[in-house]
Amino acid sequence: MGLGYKSAFNWITLWASLLFALILGFSRLSYGLFLPGIQTEIGGSYGQLGMLGTVNFIGYLVGTLCLPPLISRLQHRKNVINRISCLLLGVGMIGSAFSDHFIQLGLWRFMIGFFSALATVLVLSIATDVVQPTERGMASGLIWLGGSVGILVTGLFAPYIIEPAHLEGWRYAWKLMGVFGILATLGFELVTRKERWERTISTQLESNLLEQVNVYRLLFSPNKFLFLLGSYFFFGWGYIIYFTFLVPYLVNKGITSMYAGLIWSGIGFAGLFNGWIGGRAIDRWPSGYTLALGLALGTIGVLGVTTNHILLTSLGAVMIGLVSFITPPLMTTALLRRYAPHSAYAVCLSVATAFFAAGQIIGPIVGGWVVERYGMKFGVTSSSIFMALSAMLACLYGQRQRVLENFKKIIL
């Protein structure tokens, strides 16, 4: 590439992080916080509202499946696809604020899921492409922590969103989030414009066409990325149950909206350190074992709900924010960036994101069914089962990495 590498701390990374506040914190995870307010105004059971979460992740899955052929056909137009996706994501957030019934809100949630999937992969690909290879884990961490900022901000405004006295608080919040996203898109476009014209990809295009033929063999090989994909799938399944039903669980227990918002903000605040810690860790120890450690600690954090003690539940939530909210996506991103062929990275990340999205589709359905049948506490706690499975598969991926590395040493 005719482009000089940058450090992890640069303007492109900063604006990408701001975009991730929209892509992750606002457009997807804010839904769980807004559930009590949406239920109060629109009605419906938590099972039905969970289905709307599933619709969002169906859109997310469709988006990830559409992205590989888009990338292969429009090699030189990734920035254009990303710009359109981010702008329409902001428009979708604003439009969803005007929803008056389930079908209307469901359509907006599908649209938001679709464009957030495109934006997730493209923003990460564009932003980390200009970063030094040894600092890409840190760069991924800085970008993903934008999602934590989104959670932190929405949590601080929780009293104005989920209090019965503020029926339309969630509508105003989504409008503001959409406007913020559009402004962040314009900022990201400005800082990446100069980089775009400095790129030369004529030789990269040839290798890309050759390597894409083997992308799926690479991803589904047990000796390559299969266990990493499985870990990402179960993480998506587990974490989304927790984030969808945690605030409704707290409200049902009689916790005030202010305290529920503080707990939610605590996850986001801890996630600010998560991006830095996780990024540094995966740069230093690029292994599935590093990923598994954060997932295991997150599993323990979920179990704080079983104690029926608000302090332990809060500490568990903070632990999840610190080590297993941003960490699995950023570490998966960094591991793929490090070990996948450069020209195949965007396609590999897109397929991995599809597995993540599939888990997120199943999660709200299973979580809503468990909540309806066994109660809110057991529904939230069930996420620990899938987090634990994710940690086990990450360990298997780490074990395969070690076997292959030892084999290479023997050969050399």
Side-chain angles (χ1 to χ4, degrees), residues 205-237:
L205 181 57
E206 284 185 7
S207 62
N208 190 46
L209 293 174
L210 292 173
E211 288 177 321
Q212 279 189 13
V213 176
N214 296 317
V215 163
Y216 294 99
R217 184 181 300 173
L218 179 75
L219 289 171
F220 297 121
S221 168
N223 291 325
K224 296 294 184 180
F225 294 119
L226 179 62
F227 293 124
L228 182 64
L229 294 184
S231 175
Y232 209 22
F233 168 76
F234 281 110
F235 170 70
W237 185 332

Side-chain angles (χ1 to χ4, degrees), residues 305-338:
V305 173
T306 63
T307 63
N308 284 322
H309 196 289
I310 187 61
L311 177 60
L312 294 177
T313 299
S314 302
L315 290 175
V318 170
M319 181 183 291
I320 289 169
L322 186 62
V323 295
S324 59
F325 160 47
I326 295 299
T327 295
L330 83 85
M331 286 190 176
T332 301
T333 300
L335 289 168
L336 286 171
R337 172 59 94 177
R338 180 179 288 265

Side-chain angles (χ1 to χ4, degrees), residues 164-218:
H166 301 96
L167 281 179
E168 297 193 346
W170 60 277
R171 297 184 187 274
Y172 293 119
W174 269 345
K175 291 174 187 176
L176 290 173
M177 290 172 181
V179 172
F180 173 88
I182 292 172
L183 294 176
T185 301
L186 296 177
F188 187 72
E189 174 67 16
L190 287 174
V191 296
T192 55
R193 179 172 293 175
K194 185 180 72 170
E195 306 294 334
R196 190 183 320 150
W197 296 113
E198 293 176 359
R199 293 176 182 273
T200 56
I201 61 171
S202 57
T203 57
Q204 181 184 335
L205 181 57
E206 284 185 7
S207 62
N208 190 46
L209 293 174
L210 292 173
E211 288 177 321
Q212 279 189 13
V213 176
N214 296 317
V215 163
Y216 294 99
R217 184 181 300 173
L218 179 75

